[in-house]
Amino acid sequence: MVTFDHRDPGTPEQEWADSKALRVVPELDLEGVDRAVVFAAHPDDETLGAGGTVHRLIQNGAAVRVIVATLGEKSHPDSPTHTQESLSRVRHQEMAEAVGAITAGCVTPEYLALPDGGLTAEALAGPINDAVAWAAHGNQPLAVVTWVKDGHPDHEVLAEQVRQTAGAAAVRCVQYPIWWWHWGTPNKLPRGLVHVTLSDEDRDAKQQALEHHASQVRPLSDQPGDEVLLGPHILEHFERDREYFILAAPHQTPVFNRVHTESEDPWNVDSSRYEHRKRDVLTASLPRELYPRALDIGCSTGALTAQLAARVDVMTAVDASDVALDKARARLAERGLKNVQLRNAVLPEQWDPEWTGLDLIVVSEVGYFCSPEQWKELLTLCTKALSPDGHLVLCHWRHPIKDWPLDGDDVHREARRRRTLTRLVEHREADFEIDIYTRTRRGRA
């Protein structure tokens, strides 16, 4: 848990402004977004973190809902002039005026009136489910929420519930940091950071909205206990011509069921020269001719699975999509391959503890469909599941992966950091890279 001293200047804005890494963060694609639901834990979160973006969405013709979970009534526990009840009434009105400013009067905020500092998944589940279901009826729906690692418990509980719900509904989810600008550092940016460039009109609307949050940006009075919450050293982080968001990893099952339903061959595995070459290079790079037991993670329609099956006695192939697995099953049957068991599972959450002592584990074109935390966990599970002489194969596309927090270079970089893994094979070219590892033996660096 992070706590904040209002007198602590935190990381100076100039240090962020000088960050080269921050300047090359990719742009969030808002093209075609026709429904967006914006969640705030407290009044002012929506304006600080996403006010300019909300204004942009409204100007683009999107339908937008803004939902605030609490009224931030515990912000001044020692106030001599305001009770929690009176401050709730003030914040209610300020929120309405601020949202009106960033939406040109088109949107009235929705108030859940949950306890400040006491948000729970149980209390949030119903309203979030309803709002995300509304957004899901759009063509390019978007859910916007506080960041799950922002350092405030309400921000984190709200973010995690929205992430899970949006992911299950195949609604793209982005999270905006608030307090991270205060305690974070420019030399360690979150994976999946993207930005929205704000026009002068977007920034003006955001500034007007902030002025309406008067009980946050100005002292309640000149008496002790009524000090300003958001002083200039905090507000300066939100005066940029950009707003920043962290991509949340969608739930793989609904996303890939839809992808495989809309197209018979969504990745062009049967027609693309890239796909054929990648599979040929991968199988040619395997250090052994035959592997007794293998695991293929993210098998999709089974093109690589079928090619690997000729080098394996018994193999399990896993995918999050039932639709993809049906196509893989048909491919394997057509080729008469009976040494492959197909399993539906979302990894790492549904990792089977019986997957141990494996001679070969292949993770091809799937690592970047995890969140950074999920990928770290999956990599650990794979390492532990290898036999002493087993091989872990990583193969990934090297270009940007739209709407997912990782790319291929991120995936392989994390593996290279592991002291528990020793790299045996390295192949890198413009479009893809392949690394093959074995478990590090004791005494090896």
Side-chain angles (χ1 to χ4, degrees):
M1 169 49 51
V2 177
T3 57
F4 305 100
D5 184 337
H6 296 159
R7 298 165 298 178
D8 177 7
T11 304
E13 168 58 23
Q14 190 57 50
E15 189 174 339
W16 287 106
D18 291 340
S19 168
K20 294 181 181 178
L22 201 61
R23 289 200 293 271
V24 298
V25 166
E27 183 102 18
L28 175 65
D29 184 9
L30 296 178
E31 183 69 29
V33 174
D34 55 354
R35 287 196 182 195
V37 56
V38 180
F39 295 92
H42 315 96
D44 81 5
D45 290 341
E46 80 299 326
T47 299
L48 290 170
T53 301
V54 171
H55 183 263
R56 169 76 58 79
L57 290 168
I58 290 290
Q59 295 302 305
N60 289 349
V64 177
R65 290 173 63 179
V66 178
I67 299 172
V68 58
T70 82
L71 289 169
E73 66 275 8
K74 294 183 179 179
S75 63
H76 290 78
D78 300 319
S79 172
T81 61
H82 286 73
T83 64
Q84 290 186 19
E85 291 74 16
S86 66
L87 196 54
S88 293
R89 292 191 292 271
V90 169
R91 295 276 166 76
H92 191 286
Q93 182 61 32
E94 289 177 351
M95 181 77 179
E97 294 171 353
V99 170
I102 56 174
T103 65
C106 296
V107 176
T108 300
E110 302 169 43
Y111 305 90
L112 303 186
L114 297 173
D116 183 17
L119 290 184
T120 65
E122 293 75 17
L124 290 166
I128 289 175
N129 286 341
D130 291 345
V132 169
W134 169 83
H137 283 91
N139 292 322
Q140 296 289 335
L142 182 68
V144 183
V145 67
T146 49
W147 186 33
V148 74
K149 291 187 176 181
D150 207 29
H152 190 295
D154 283 346
H155 290 203
E156 295 171 0
V157 171
L158 177 64
E160 181 57 21
Q161 190 66 29
V162 171
R163 184 195 69 80
Q164 292 182 17
T165 305
V171 172
R172 185 168 51 147
C173 178
V174 297
Q175 303 180 339
Y176 53 87
I178 299 293
W179 290 113
W180 175 65
W181 298 111
H182 189 77
W183 58 260
T185 57
N187 58 2
K188 192 174 182 180
L189 303 183
R191 294 295 182 192
L193 191 68
V194 294
H195 81 273
V196 172
T197 301
L198 304 181
S199 66
D200 290 343
E201 292 78 10
D202 298 331
R203 295 175 71 187
D204 287 346
K206 180 173 181 172
Q207 185 57 47
Q208 292 173 27
L210 277 175
E211 288 297 319
H212 287 299
H213 285 296
S215 66
Q216 314 264 28
V217 300
R218 291 192 285 275
L220 296 180
S221 76
D222 59 1
Q223 299 183 49
D226 277 352
E227 292 84 3
V228 64
L229 286 179
L230 303 177
H233 64 287
I234 294 177
L235 291 176
E236 65 181 355
H237 294 298
F238 305 97
E239 295 170 354
R240 306 184 183 102
D241 60 358
R242 289 181 169 192
E243 287 178 336
Y244 290 88
F245 302 88
I246 295 94
L247 295 169
H251 193 286
Q252 295 176 22
T253 296
V255 170
F256 293 122
N257 274 340
R258 183 181 65 194
V259 165
H260 287 92
T261 299
E262 292 175 349
S263 173
E264 189 64 30
D265 185 9
W267 316 121
N268 297 318
V269 297
D270 294 315
S271 59
S272 164
R273 181 182 181 277
Y274 160 79
E275 289 288 340
H276 283 278
R277 171 173 165 71
K278 177 193 67 178
R279 294 197 297 271
D280 288 344
V281 173
L282 188 156
T283 53
S285 300
L286 294 177
R288 291 159 62 180
E289 185 62 31
L290 186 65
Y291 291 87
R293 298 179 63 222
L295 176 67
D296 180 17
I297 296 176
C299 67
S300 185
T301 61
L304 177 60
T305 307
Q307 200 159 327
L308 290 169
R311 306 276 294 273
V312 174
D313 288 337
V314 178
M315 180 162 58
T316 300
V318 182
D319 201 88
S321 168
D322 281 324
V323 179
L325 288 172
D326 285 342
K327 296 180 180 182
R329 191 171 292 109
R331 183 190 300 271
L332 296 172
E334 181 181 342
R335 300 190 184 187
L337 296 171
K338 299 180 180 180
N339 60 333
V340 181
Q341 178 191 21
L342 297 175
R343 289 277 300 273
N344 177 255
V346 178
L347 301 181
E349 293 90 336
Q350 296 175 326
W351 182 272
D352 189 336
E354 294 186 1
W355 293 336
T356 59
L358 296 170
D359 305 288
L360 176 67
I361 300 176
V362 177
V363 184
S364 178
E365 307 267 28
V366 72
Y368 31 57
F369 298 133
C370 298
S371 69
E373 295 74 25
Q374 288 170 329
W375 173 237
K376 289 177 182 179
E377 183 182 354
L378 182 57
L379 194 54
T380 297
L381 290 168
C382 288
T383 303
K384 292 180 177 179
L386 284 176
S387 66
D389 294 315
H391 296 143
L392 171 63
V393 181
L394 306 181
C395 175
H396 291 85
W397 174 253
R398 297 195 63 213
H399 301 287
I401 307 298
K402 182 181 176 181
D403 293 339
W404 296 82
L406 299 177
D407 57 29
D409 289 343
D410 294 326
V411 168
H412 285 249
R413 188 181 301 112
E414 178 60 33
R416 289 195 293 271
R417 292 191 182 113
R418 298 293 177 108
R419 295 178 63 84
T420 52
L421 290 171
T422 298
R423 186 163 54 185
L424 302 177
V425 176
E426 176 184 1
H427 176 89
R428 182 174 294 107
E429 50 188 77
D431 290 334
F432 68 91
E433 63 181 313
I434 297 172
D435 289 325
I436 301 180
Y437 294 90
T438 190
R439 283 168 55 180
T440 302
R441 299 180 188 275
R442 288 185 180 181
R444 248 192 221 170

